[in-house]
Amino acid sequence: MKHLHMTLALLSVGLFTLRFAWLLMNSAQLNKKWVKIAPHVIDTFLLVLGVIMAVKLSINPIEQLWLGEKILAVFAYIFTGYYTLKIAKNNMMRVIGYLGALGWVMLVVRLAMTKQGVFF
Ligand code: HEM
């Protein structure tokens, strides 16, 4: 289950990077149906698997703050990703949004691996 979770995380970041690159290149690939649907399916499974593992392992995000921090960082990744692909009005803003989103992903992965809070 953990490996599937990690594979989906990799796919999520990979697909986000691909969509970011296509957006910068004004590519028609972005309008393909699978490109619009796949990220939602992958992200939903990624989050649901995370919740299932947390429940199975009895990790409460309020007691084990690394998980609480990880969930907050995941929200920040989702928001900065949305900003990058939908809200940003020009390529400069998109690049800034993309780098910000990657920063959150790095925090998420660090928290997942060390299980030690960085800010909390
Ligand atoms: C962008 C989103 C996410 C990424 C990149 C990510 C990444 C990872 C990685 C790399 C691991 C394996 C760590 C290890 O080597 O032990 C992991 C494990 C885990 N993740 Fe995530 N994760 C994400 C979202 C979530 C969410 C939203 C939750 C919970 C609501 C969650 C809960 C867990 C749990 C409970 C484990 C197992 C910890 C253990 O084995 O002790 N993850 N995650």
Side-chain angles (χ1 to χ4, degrees):
M1 196 179 274
K2 190 154 100 178
H3 285 118
L4 184 57
H5 179 72
M6 288 162 71
T7 307
L8 290 172
L10 215 62
L11 278 176
S12 169
V13 178
L15 211 52
F16 170 55
T17 301
L18 204 59
R19 289 159 82 209
F20 164 70
W22 282 337
L23 194 61
L24 292 192
M25 295 187 296
N26 251 325
S27 166
Q29 297 285 346
L30 278 175
N31 300 321
K32 294 223 162 122
K33 205 165 182 188
W34 76 266
V35 177
K36 291 182 187 236
I37 298 172
H40 299 293
V41 176
I42 290 170
D43 289 348
T44 304
F45 275 112
L46 169 63
L47 301 190
V48 167
L49 271 183
V51 173
I52 292 175
M53 279 194 299
V55 172
K56 266 185 122 176
L57 297 167
S58 306
I59 308 175
N60 178 345
I62 297 170
E63 281 164 14
Q64 309 219 19
L65 285 179
W66 68 268
L67 185 60
E69 192 175 335
K70 183 174 163 184
I71 292 169
L72 286 180
V74 169
F75 275 120
Y77 163 58
I78 292 170
F79 178 75
T80 42
Y82 183 76
Y83 169 85
T84 306
L85 298 176
K86 306 278 178 205
I87 300 178
K89 293 277 178 280
N90 55 51
N91 281 351
M92 175 66 115
M93 290 166 79
R94 291 180 188 122
V95 169
I96 292 171
Y98 178 74
L99 293 177
L102 278 198
W104 288 113
V105 170
M106 283 160 69
L107 177 62
V108 169
V109 172
R110 188 197 154 115
L111 289 165
M113 289 172 66
T114 63
K115 299 177 180 46
Q116 301 274 326
V118 174
F119 296 110
F120 296 117

